[in-house]
Amino acid sequence: MIFILLGSYFYLKTERLLDHELGKRLNSVALFASYQIKPFHLSALRLNDPTNQTYTSLEERFSELKKKNDIARIFLFDNEDRSLLDTDPSYEPGQIYERNFLHKIEIQKAADGKLSPSFLFKNHDGQFMKSSFAPVYDGDKVIAIVGVDGNATFFKSLHELEKNLILSGVLCILTIISVSLFLSKKIVNPIQELVYSAKKIGDGDLDDAIKIKSTNELGFLGYVMDEMRRKIVERDQELQVMLRGIAHEVRNPLGGIELFSGILSEEVKEEKSKQAVAKIQREVANLKILVDEFLNFAKKPSLQISVFSFPEFMDEIQMYLSENLKNGNVELRIESDLDMIRCDEYHMERVFLNLINNSIQAMPHAAERFL
């Protein structure tokens, strides 16, 4: 686009300069030609006789002026657009110049006593032309107008240059688009794949390998990221093995403690001793829950998604917690507009049970408390 804009700017500037220079040259020729016409010449020229001496003499002067200045045509006409003299033999004396209506403004300026170059136009042969008009005076009065037509063949070459500039600009744009698509395939696409893979790793999805086919630095970065992914997977697997081992090692003595605390609760008679044994059993139950959570984390169980009634689900939660709520002197109120929900019922149940149990345990003892 910069190339096209600069090319268009210099083209238009060159066109204006050439047009201006051609207009100045035609003005000079038209002015010089007007000086050759004297008022008494017009009386002879109005006879419309191309054989009289005045007509012949002036035609020779105009023809010589035309040849020296390499212009197309010099012509003279009166205020009514009738031809008085023309170097083009196809125009006869007395003929009306119908073309003058195209240069009405310029001719009017010449009639007012001003040199007036025309706009650029094409003649019947398709050639670029430009005209200039100069007044012929009789004292202070304009009695006729000299017209000069000049070839502007260089404008044809200039227009060819314009076409070449446009074609070059289009080719530049197509080249840039092609290079952009190539760079996008080689650089942008691998970067997008890296961003997508990094997001998946951040979300915990470590199953898919990172495959960047590029052989440059982006390909190496993809290889490093995939190595990081594999090491995270290996470390996660090692952690799971360690957690399973710890959970199994802890579960065995917990089973023995639970068994003997049950026997002990049957043997003791004192109320204080029974309360101590009950506290041991509650703590053992909490430890068993913690061990189960370790095992579940180590196993990475898959979610079992289903749709079920949320009010019924919460009724079951309240039923499971009824003893704890009663012992803690806590009232549980459930306010919800939900009807059917979609999730893993087992895991969601554990979430609610843990949250509410933790809340009950964290509340200080009081006569009335609400959760």
Side-chain angles (χ1 to χ4, degrees):
M1 292 302 297
I2 292 174
F3 174 81
I4 292 175
L5 290 174
L6 288 176
S8 300
Y9 168 76
F10 288 116
Y11 166 79
L12 293 174
K13 189 171 183 179
T14 303
E15 185 181 45
R16 283 197 299 268
L17 287 173
L18 290 175
D19 184 60
H20 180 68
E21 289 300 318
L22 179 60
K24 286 174 61 177
R25 187 163 70 88
L26 293 178
N27 280 347
S28 299
V29 175
L31 184 63
F32 185 79
S34 68
Y35 288 158
Q36 309 301 311
I37 308 298
K38 306 301 179 185
F40 64 85
H41 288 153
L42 295 183
S43 300
L45 293 175
R46 286 194 178 99
L47 298 175
N48 297 328
D49 181 10
T51 61
N52 71 56
Q53 186 175 358
T54 301
Y55 189 98
T56 304
S57 176
L58 289 174
E59 184 182 24
E60 288 178 357
R61 293 182 193 177
F62 280 8
S63 296
E64 184 179 358
L65 187 62
K66 165 191 164 185
K67 183 177 180 181
K68 285 183 177 180
N69 290 276
D70 191 23
I71 56 178
R73 174 182 168 218
I74 303 177
F75 55 100
L76 175 69
F77 57 93
D78 60 19
N79 292 330
E80 297 178 354
D81 295 332
R82 285 193 298 267
S83 174
L84 298 175
L85 178 65
D86 201 315
T87 56
D88 186 347
S90 64
Y91 289 92
E92 298 179 355
Q95 182 177 343
I96 299 294
Y97 286 127
E98 296 180 356
R99 195 198 75 176
N100 280 8
F101 79 93
L102 294 174
H103 308 295
K104 185 176 180 180
I105 297 175
E106 291 85 357
I107 292 173
Q108 183 59 49
K109 288 181 179 179
D112 294 337
K114 299 178 182 178
L115 282 172
S116 178
S118 74
F119 53 84
L120 199 68
F121 64 94
K122 285 185 178 181
N123 64 6
H124 61 279
D125 294 331
Q127 297 293 326
F128 286 98
M129 304 288 291
K130 189 177 179 68
S131 299
S132 181
F133 301 93
V136 177
Y137 288 97
D138 182 4
D140 294 334
K141 182 180 179 182
V142 177
I143 57 176
I145 297 172
V146 173
V148 176
D149 285 347
N151 290 321
T153 53
F154 52 83
F155 279 98
K156 184 175 181 180
S157 301
L158 197 61
H159 282 207
E160 290 294 328
L161 176 62
E162 179 188 23
K163 293 179 182 178
N164 291 333
L165 284 173
I166 294 174
L167 179 61
S168 300
V170 172
L171 290 176
C172 283
I173 291 174
L174 292 175
T175 302
I176 291 171
I177 292 174
S178 301
V179 171
S180 299
L181 291 175
F182 174 78
L183 292 177
S184 175
K185 185 176 179 181
K186 291 292 184 181
I187 298 177
V188 178
N189 289 348
I191 289 177
Q192 290 178 343
E193 291 180 16
L194 286 173
V195 171
Y196 175 71
S197 300
K199 186 177 182 303
K200 288 181 65 178
I201 292 175
D203 292 339
D205 185 357
L206 305 172
D207 296 331
D208 297 331
I210 301 173
K211 297 179 180 178
I212 304 297
K213 297 180 180 179
S214 178
T215 57
N216 54 19
E217 289 81 359
L218 293 174
F220 178 73
L221 181 58
Y223 169 77
V224 172
M225 285 185 65
D226 192 59
E227 282 290 306
M228 178 184 69
R229 179 196 65 82
R230 289 194 297 105
K231 288 181 179 179
I232 292 174
V233 171
E234 292 173 359
R235 188 185 66 179
D236 201 14
Q237 291 173 348
E238 293 173 357
L239 180 61
Q240 292 173 19
V241 172
M242 182 183 68
L243 289 176
R244 283 197 295 268
I246 293 174
H248 284 297
E249 290 297 327
V250 174
R251 174 175 278 184
N252 293 332
L254 279 180
I257 295 172
E258 185 180 27
L259 175 62
F260 289 112
S261 64
I263 296 173
L264 184 60
S265 65
E266 295 176 359
E267 295 293 334
V268 296
K269 302 299 181 181
E270 295 180 2
E271 187 63 28
K272 189 175 181 180
S273 299
K274 285 185 177 182
Q275 291 177 359
V277 173
K279 186 174 182 181
I280 293 172
Q281 289 177 327
R282 285 196 303 270
E283 295 302 328
V284 169
N286 291 333
L287 284 174
K288 286 184 66 177
I289 293 173
L290 183 61
V291 169
D292 289 339
E293 289 177 353
F294 272 112
L295 286 173
N296 287 331
F297 177 76
K299 292 177 181 176
K300 283 195 172 180
S302 59
L303 297 178
Q304 302 297 322
I305 305 299
S306 62
V307 178
F308 53 90
S309 171
F310 185 68
E312 293 179 2
F313 170 77
M314 292 307 298
D315 289 341
E316 292 182 6
I317 295 292
Q318 195 162 13
M319 182 183 67
Y320 293 151
L321 295 169
S322 59
E323 190 67 26
N324 291 349
L325 292 169
K326 182 179 178 181
N327 294 335
N329 196 22
V330 175
E331 181 180 347
L332 175 63
R333 293 180 182 176
I334 301 171
E335 296 179 2
S336 173
D337 296 330
L338 293 176
D339 183 15
M340 305 300 290
I341 63 171
R342 183 175 182 272
C343 62
D344 186 305
E345 186 174 1
Y346 170 74
H347 286 90
M348 189 59 68
E349 180 182 288
R350 292 178 56 113
V351 168
F352 275 96
L353 289 174
N354 288 334
L355 283 174
I356 298 173
N357 271 322
N358 290 340
S359 300
I360 293 172
Q361 294 172 10
M363 296 174 72
H365 294 287
E368 287 190 11
R369 289 169 297 187
F370 298 93
L371 176 61

